[in-house]
Amino acid sequence: MRNGVRLLLLVAAMCLGAGVGATEWTHAVQLSPNYTLHWRPNESSVSFKIEARTLGFVGLGFSPKGGMANADIILLWVDDYTGEAHVGDYYATGNAKPRRDEIQNVELLEAEQNGTHTIVKFRREWETCDQLHDMALGEETVRLIWALGQKDPANGHDPSVWHGKQMRGTKSVYLKTASLQKKKKRANHQKPVRFWDVKMSNLLIPDNMDTRYWCKIFKLPYLDKKHHMIGYSPLIDPRNKGSVHHMILYECVHSRAHSMFARYIAHEGAACYSPKMPSDWEHCLTPIVTWAIGSEGELLPEHVGLPLSYTDYPSDTYFMLEVHYDNPTFKNARDNSGIRVHFTEELREYDGGVMTVGTTITPLHMIPPRQESYATAGYCSDECTSQMLPDTGIKVVSVVLHAHLAGRAMTLRHIRNGKELAPIVKDSHYDFNYQQARVLSNEVQIEQGDELIMECGYQTINRTEPTFGGYSTKEEMCLAFVLYYPQTSLAGCYSMTPVESFFSILGVSEFYDMDMAKIKKMLLHNDKDSRPKPLVDTPPAPGTPFPDSPLGGGHINDEANQKAIQALLNMKEFTIEPVDGAVDAAGILDGLRIRLPYEFQNRTILDHLQALSWTDKLLARKVEDAFYHGQHLIFCRRKDDSLAFLPKVQTLPNITHPHQTLEKSNCPVRRGAQLGMYSPNNANSLKTTIGVPLTITMIHILSKLH
Ligand SMILES: *[C@@H]1O[C@H](CO)[C@@H](O)[C@H](O)[C@H]1NC(C)=O
Ligand SMILES: *[C@@H]1O[C@H](CO)[C@@H](O)[C@H](O)[C@H]1NC(C)=O
Ligand SMILES: *[C@@H]1O[C@H](CO)[C@@H](O)[C@H](O)[C@H]1NC(C)=O
Ligand SMILES: *[C@@H]1O[C@H](CO)[C@@H](O)[C@H](O)[C@H]1NC(C)=O
Ligand SMILES: *[C@@H]1O[C@H](CO)[C@@H](O)[C@H](O)[C@H]1NC(C)=O
Ligand SMILES: *[C@@H]1O[C@H](CO)[C@@H](O)[C@H](O)[C@H]1NC(C)=O
């Protein structure tokens, strides 16, 4: 019966809806040349169609980490002899043959097998309420696992060949996301979409460096009128696939952009934010395109375009392309990667904009070692949104979340009048290798006076040393690039722990040979001519004691605060890229030797961080809480690099009505809490139960507990 026999099997579920066959599949991904998955999300459920080149079984699974462990698996096949279709809801506990769930939650819609292919359609609820064996699906990243079996399972209900000979793999996707495919259709009557390639030109990547950020200036080709950018696609040099980690295209905004940037067109580029990068380039800070590994590009929704050239004057528009190369094994590679910008003169209804929200990139963004989960927060204050957003507010279209290798969970929290609204984006399954923009199913309104908290959860369970904020993939970031409309002049709204706070939370009050001003200079890059040098070269200076700042959440000496603000005013908050032998974050901190308090005397800060007993949960939670709910120095930066107001120290708002995070679902209580999430509820209870300021002695005592 096998050869040439066409089986068309309309299963019982046919009654389900004439809709099924007729409606289009809005999303698709090719999991392998022999396996294509289509799907169609709606509010309550998701329907799938698999087209696979096999007459055996097909498997599709949803996995927390990409392997079989704890995966929720669906197996389907059409019996070669009887033509009967089978579907089963399974689970796997490890690399072993999956077991059948007690409760079956997959609905077969159609199954067909022709001479070469198996084509199956099925459906499941996002939340099946099978708390034991099904994964709740939704907007978060899902690691799909897939398998193609050569044969049908030997007996109807036992997929014993699962673990046998088969093709398989894994791929991260967002299942519940708006589809942008529709717009391809009505292309006929549209003005042609043009493109502009912005890319490196035979850039030499030296072999002595495992992280490199290269920045280069480009000029937009002459346009006689305003155009809209409507999307982009990455151009990855095939030679360096896997090494190009992310790319950001920034617009350079300055009233005299032409006289400032024309001379850089022929410039080969420079290591970003290093002393070698011309400081004029620091005006290029409005991200227009943010691409990261795993993304295939992005098309904007049909009512939004990013303006490329303005109506009033045919302007010279300049951009800076930043490419992050990451590959410890580079051998003097050459690279031509970049971005293809798609644009059109057929303007869309709204001008869009992109702003950055999150944590300043600084070594003070510290994540302790040995943490199953550890959360940090970047804060965008009500003052910034009040000053920078229009009366009508803005609408968020899509968000790119960006953290590095330790990033596990990211939530862009949204607070209005002390009440927490649903998060704008939330992902507890963040995958560093899949950073496609998340197109919101429903646009979210941000109003004047709203506050945002970019919360990042990290896992460092196997790291033995602290991780610091920085540019390398081994260091961390916590950022959201938010695409919204209508356009405003806001480029970024983010925060960092003030320098004094950082040390006081760690219970340190004074260093040898180094006063606060000097430390700030090193950590804050406030003075290009006195950039960090190896500390041995620093002439000893009288050890000026720190202002006497209470710990975690206390006030900061005003004068010191003013100084910090002064230091921060005319500079990028970015710390320096460890290029050309300059010291890195750990290097800077390792050079600071503690004088006071006595119990930590003669340790370096790095020693001190290592010596703390991070496996002690109480200590880790207290430090986490002190940083999260402690002081934040807030930057509200405009596109032209100016600050809307002086950086200001604030703590997070008191949230009176925490949002009930997940599950507006009707399921009975889900098993356990979501792994690793520091939910607002927890945060509040932490605050009340251990909201007492962390004292030196307490840390000291805690560190001796083990
Ligand atoms: C696809 O299937 C064909 C036929 O079974 C097989 O020869 C080929 O190797 C498969 N290709 C891949 C990439 O698995
Ligand atoms: C979602 O789709 C399924 C099947 O196509 C349908 O039965 C269901 O009513 C839809 N739900 C909503 C909320 O549209
Ligand atoms: C079998 O189905 C596949 C997938 O839909 C299709 O590409 C192929 O042409 C079909 N083969 C035959 C013989 O109809
Ligand atoms: C940590 O290391 C252990 C032992 O090598 C390994 O089994 C585990 O998967 C690692 N965990 C993570 C999160 O990398
Ligand atoms: C720290 O080192 C100095 C000498 O460099 C020594 O006098 C002092 O006793 C040391 N302090 C501690 C606590 O060991
Ligand atoms: C939050 O509440 C506490 C105690 O009621 C208060 O001390 C603190 O200033 C408040 N924080 C903010 C940002 O309003």
Side-chain angles (χ1 to χ4, degrees):
M1 270 184 83
R2 169 178 258 203
N3 291 330
V5 181
R6 282 176 163 232
L7 292 168
L8 177 63
L9 234 119
L10 300 182
V11 189
M14 261 316 273
C15 52
L16 238 164
V20 170
T23 7
E24 58 183 326
W25 298 94
T26 48
H27 299 65
V29 59
Q30 192 168 52
L31 296 173
S32 102
N34 287 341
Y35 189 138
T36 307
L37 178 71
H38 304 261
W39 72 96
R40 181 177 57 241
N42 75 9
E43 277 302 306
S44 59
S45 68
V46 51
S47 305
F48 294 97
K49 172 181 161 190
I50 294 172
E51 282 178 291
R53 190 187 176 96
T54 183
L55 299 180
F57 70 85
V58 296
L60 180 70
F62 313 106
S63 158
K65 292 183 178 160
M68 278 186 72
N70 300 317
D72 171 11
I73 292 170
I74 300 168
L75 293 177
L76 307 110
W77 67 96
V78 176
D79 189 295
D80 296 342
Y81 300 99
T82 65
E84 200 184 337
H86 295 269
V87 62
D89 190 355
Y90 293 81
Y91 69 97
T93 47
N95 264 333
K97 121 185 148 183
R99 297 187 201 165
R100 202 174 162 88
D101 295 2
E102 292 83 25
I103 311 166
Q104 294 290 301
N105 288 300
V106 183
E107 185 169 33
L108 187 61
L109 302 175
E110 258 181 67
E112 178 188 351
Q113 187 167 287
N114 68 20
T116 51
H117 286 69
T118 298
I119 301 133
V120 288
K121 299 177 187 175
F122 53 100
R123 189 173 86 88
R124 66 158 265 179
E125 302 295 314
W126 294 113
E127 169 62 282
T128 65
C129 294
D130 177 354
Q131 298 169 8
L132 284 176
H133 302 312
D134 284 351
M135 199 161 133
L137 303 176
E139 273 139 17
E140 307 194 0
T141 307
V142 178
R143 272 91 165 156
L144 294 179
I145 56 173
W146 59 270
L148 283 184
Q150 290 174 340
K151 292 192 189 134
D152 292 345
N155 90 49
H157 283 283
D158 179 10
S160 53
V161 289
W162 170 267
H163 212 54
K165 269 194 211 150
Q166 54 182 268
M167 308 296 299
R168 54 180 153 159
T170 176
K171 181 162 177 64
S172 286
V173 295
Y174 308 136
L175 286 175
K176 196 175 186 182
T177 177
S179 168
L180 294 172
Q181 292 190 351
K182 282 178 204 145
K183 57 175 54 71
K184 285 179 190 156
K185 294 209 167 139
R186 37 164 236 127
N188 285 345
H189 54 90
Q190 275 180 337
K191 297 259 167 52
V193 172
R194 298 162 63 190
F195 63 82
W196 174 43
D197 288 350
V198 188
K199 48 186 207 165
M200 297 299 172
S201 161
N202 221 20
L203 174 68
L204 175 70
I205 300 142
D207 60 2
N208 60 354
M209 202 172 275
D210 67 5
T211 287
R212 163 149 283 219
Y213 279 70
W214 197 253
C215 283
K216 187 168 161 39
I217 299 290
F218 294 85
K219 182 180 177 197
L220 183 73
Y222 174 77
L223 299 172
D224 58 351
K225 58 177 158 192
K226 177 170 167 178
H227 282 64
H228 266 161
M229 172 183 143
I230 58 160
Y232 74 91
S233 39
L235 301 167
I236 306 297
D237 188 328
R239 294 173 294 183
N240 301 322
K241 225 175 164 183
S243 305
V244 179
H245 254 265
H246 70 251
M247 301 188 281
I248 304 183
L249 186 63
Y250 296 97
E251 187 175 353
C252 305
V253 181
H254 195 275
S255 52
R256 289 175 294 105
H258 181 65
S259 60
M260 198 172 219
F261 291 103
R263 77 187 96 147
Y264 297 122
I265 294 309
H267 196 293
E268 56 168 359
C272 307
Y273 317 115
S274 76
K276 289 194 177 151
M277 186 180 97
S279 56
D280 289 345
W281 299 14
E282 294 183 7
H283 290 280
C284 309
L285 49 72
T286 310
I288 298 290
V289 170
T290 52
W291 173 89
I293 194 160
S295 162
E296 283 138 35
E298 188 182 1
L299 282 177
L300 305 186
E302 288 180 58
H303 55 296
V304 185
L306 292 173
L308 278 185
S309 187
Y310 303 95
T311 30
D312 302 348
Y313 52 102
S315 69
D316 291 305
T317 312
Y318 293 85
F319 292 87
M320 180 172 84
L321 177 66
E322 168 186 315
V323 182
H324 172 192
Y325 297 98
D326 183 73
N327 184 355
T329 59
F330 258 136
K331 286 275 177 278
N332 281 329
R334 292 279 176 179
D335 185 64
N336 288 316
S337 299
I339 281 165
R340 171 166 293 179
V341 171
H342 303 264
F343 62 97
T344 173
E345 62 183 83
E346 188 168 283
L347 298 182
R348 269 115 186 252
E349 189 177 354
Y350 295 103
D351 283 352
V354 181
M355 66 170 169
T356 310
V357 176
T359 304
T360 303
I361 301 161
T362 161
L364 303 190
H365 180 218
M366 188 273 306
I367 299 126
R370 300 288 177 206
Q371 300 304 299
E372 181 59 42
S373 81
Y374 182 94
T376 69
Y379 177 42
C380 173
S381 68
D382 46 346
E383 187 171 4
C384 186
T385 59
S386 295
Q387 288 202 19
M388 301 302 295
L389 303 189
D391 295 347
T392 50
I394 54 171
K395 285 205 159 68
V396 177
V397 171
S398 69
V399 178
V400 175
L401 295 176
H402 189 67
H404 286 172
L405 295 171
R408 292 292 180 277
M410 300 184 75
T411 309
L412 183 55
R413 298 172 60 188
H414 188 190
I415 290 118
R416 180 171 299 157
N417 299 323
K419 186 172 186 291
E420 179 146 29
L421 310 178
I424 297 172
V425 187
K426 175 178 190 317
D427 195 344
S428 347
H429 305 287
Y430 177 76
D431 181 355
F432 174 71
N433 291 308
Y434 184 68
Q435 300 186 38
Q436 184 81 29
R438 293 150 203 266
V439 182
L440 307 189
S441 304
N442 300 303
E443 293 175 353
V444 173
Q445 170 96 8
I446 301 180
E447 291 174 5
Q448 290 181 337
D450 284 3
E451 292 154 281
L452 303 174
I453 300 171
M454 183 63 234
E455 176 179 289
C456 291
Y458 299 97
Q459 188 179 53
T460 57
I461 192 81
N462 284 350
R463 295 191 184 188
T464 53
E465 299 188 2
T467 301
F468 299 100
Y471 289 90
S472 133
T473 46
K474 286 172 244 146
E475 299 171 316
E476 275 304 332
M477 292 191 182
C478 177
L479 295 174
F481 299 103
V482 177
L483 176 72
Y484 66 90
Y485 69 91
Q487 197 182 38
T488 74
S489 60
L490 179 62
C493 183
Y494 33 84
S495 76
M496 65 183 277
T497 301
V499 177
E500 289 91 344
S501 256
F502 177 79
F503 293 118
S504 67
I505 287 171
L506 296 172
V508 172
S509 44
E510 199 181 313
F511 295 102
Y512 287 109
D513 299 341
M514 197 65 74
D515 63 18
M516 201 54 158
K518 198 170 256 173
I519 293 169
K520 276 185 193 152
K521 224 178 218 181
M522 290 193 313
L523 288 171
L524 296 177
H525 184 198
N526 58 337
D527 177 353
K528 289 188 183 61
D529 297 325
S530 66
R531 59 182 185 265
K533 299 178 182 75
L535 289 164
V536 284
D537 292 348
T538 314
T544 315
F546 287 163
D548 183 24
S549 52
L551 301 160
H555 84 285
I556 270 198
N557 170 303
D558 269 342
E559 192 194 342
N561 201 23
Q562 279 312 312
K563 272 197 217 152
I565 287 169
Q566 239 7 71
L568 286 161
L569 258 182
N570 297 313
M571 55 156 218
K572 289 283 260 236
E573 307 74 73
F574 300 130
T575 47
I576 288 176
E577 165 76 352
V579 278
D580 303 338
V583 287
D584 58 357
I588 291 175
L589 296 177
D590 204 26
L592 295 175
R593 208 157 60 94
I594 298 169
R595 183 158 76 181
L596 288 175
Y598 182 75
E599 54 264 56
F600 303 148
Q601 197 172 69
N602 297 345
R603 290 182 183 177
T604 67
I605 274 287
L606 208 57
D607 291 340
H608 179 52
L609 284 170
Q610 305 263 31
L612 291 173
S613 164
W614 294 112
T615 48
D616 178 336
K617 290 203 170 68
L618 185 57
L619 172 77
R621 293 291 75 79
K622 281 191 185 215
V623 171
E624 176 186 54
D625 184 57
F627 279 112
Y628 195 111
H629 290 281
Q631 292 173 328
H632 289 260
L633 185 62
I634 295 150
F635 300 87
C636 183
R637 195 173 283 283
R638 296 196 193 94
K639 285 179 185 169
D640 64 1
D641 204 19
S642 65
L643 293 168
F645 48 84
L646 292 187
K648 191 168 272 186
V649 173
Q650 249 178 274
T651 53
L652 299 190
N654 286 324
I655 296 164
T656 48
H657 297 91
H659 181 75
Q660 294 306 317
T661 33
L662 9 205
E663 286 74 46
K664 293 154 245 160
S665 85
N666 310 315
C667 300
V669 188
R670 264 190 93 78
R671 142 197 60 151
Q674 285 291 96
L675 171 102
M677 268 320 286
Y678 181 88
S679 81
N681 301 336
N682 289 346
N684 279 3
S685 62
L686 260 177
K687 195 82 184 139
T688 46
T689 55
I690 52 171
V692 278
L694 213 58
T695 64
I696 293 170
T697 333
M698 200 181 293
I699 289 206
H700 182 55
I701 291 169
L702 284 167
S703 69
K704 282 191 161 174
L705 281 176
H706 285 249

